[in-house]
Amino acid sequence: MKKIGLLSDTHSYLDDRILHHLRGCDEIWHAGDFGTAEVAETLETVAPLRGVYGNIDGQDVRRTQPLVQNFEVEGLRVLMTHIGGYPGHYSPAGRTLVQQERPGLFISGHSHILKVMPDHKLGLLHLNPGAAGRHGFHKVRTLLRFEVAEGKVQHLQVIELGPK
């Protein structure tokens, strides 16, 4: 069993609330728009980091974070990219990735809208943690915590970090 902290769209902003909720996680996953490499470096001091770069990320982030992460954790195949859409509304690139890779969990960011949705047609769970940073139209900053065990997401928690 692994405890995962999932966030996105920090846009160069990390505060003690974010770090508090990530402490105790076995891994931190960031679905893009770090803003700066310092955000990734700080997260790595809390737990091992898996991330993808987003559309606002410069070369400092793109040197260390790929466009797509495709990996397996505790028997669960995970696919993560920043701009991927969601079930019924995948981006063209997201749809292609999901159809090719057949993950059990598909993660994207970008929209700043928290979503937890099954895709019954493709047999996967989609997660978008919303936005943990202060930049954007969202009103409440969010992240997700959950466990992965025996190929499944369990004990999913939505963490509201307060107003931006």
Side-chain angles (χ1 to χ4, degrees):
M1 186 247 329
K2 290 232 184 203
K3 294 178 183 178
I4 308 298
L6 173 62
L7 71 163
S8 185
D9 296 278
T10 47
H11 291 261
S12 304
Y13 182 79
L14 278 180
D15 65 5
D16 290 337
R17 280 189 65 105
I18 293 170
L19 298 174
H20 167 78
H21 288 291
L22 296 174
R23 290 196 204 309
C25 290
D26 296 310
E27 293 185 6
I28 298 169
W29 300 349
H30 193 298
D33 281 359
F34 285 85
T36 63
E38 289 79 17
V39 169
E41 292 163 5
T42 300
L43 292 172
E44 287 174 329
T45 68
V46 176
L49 174 68
R50 294 182 196 251
V52 294
Y53 71 78
N55 57 297
I56 67 126
D57 290 321
Q59 290 305 311
D60 62 333
V61 173
R62 292 174 189 227
R63 274 192 290 278
T64 61
Q65 306 301 322
L67 175 63
V68 175
Q69 285 269 14
N70 189 0
F71 56 96
E72 188 171 310
V73 171
E74 299 290 319
L76 179 64
R77 189 126 192 88
V78 181
L79 178 65
M80 180 167 51
T81 193
H82 183 60
I83 301 174
Y86 57 93
H89 300 280
Y90 293 117
S91 69
R95 182 179 307 107
T96 299
L97 279 170
V98 167
Q99 290 172 339
Q100 286 175 346
E101 302 300 334
R102 297 291 185 189
L105 176 59
F106 178 56
I107 297 169
S108 63
H110 187 62
S111 71
H112 293 220
I113 299 169
L114 182 126
K115 286 190 186 293
V116 176
M117 297 178 67
D119 184 330
H120 298 292
K121 184 177 176 184
L122 295 176
L124 62 84
L125 177 64
H126 168 70
L127 299 179
N128 182 323
R134 293 186 179 260
H135 178 77
F137 66 88
H138 60 285
K139 302 222 184 290
V140 176
R141 299 178 306 118
T142 57
L143 62 82
L144 296 172
R145 278 193 324 209
F146 55 92
E147 295 173 359
V148 178
E150 299 177 4
K152 296 184 184 192
V153 171
Q154 305 175 12
H155 308 291
L156 179 70
Q157 297 174 297
V158 173
I159 307 295
E160 290 189 355
L161 299 163
K164 64 175 194 168

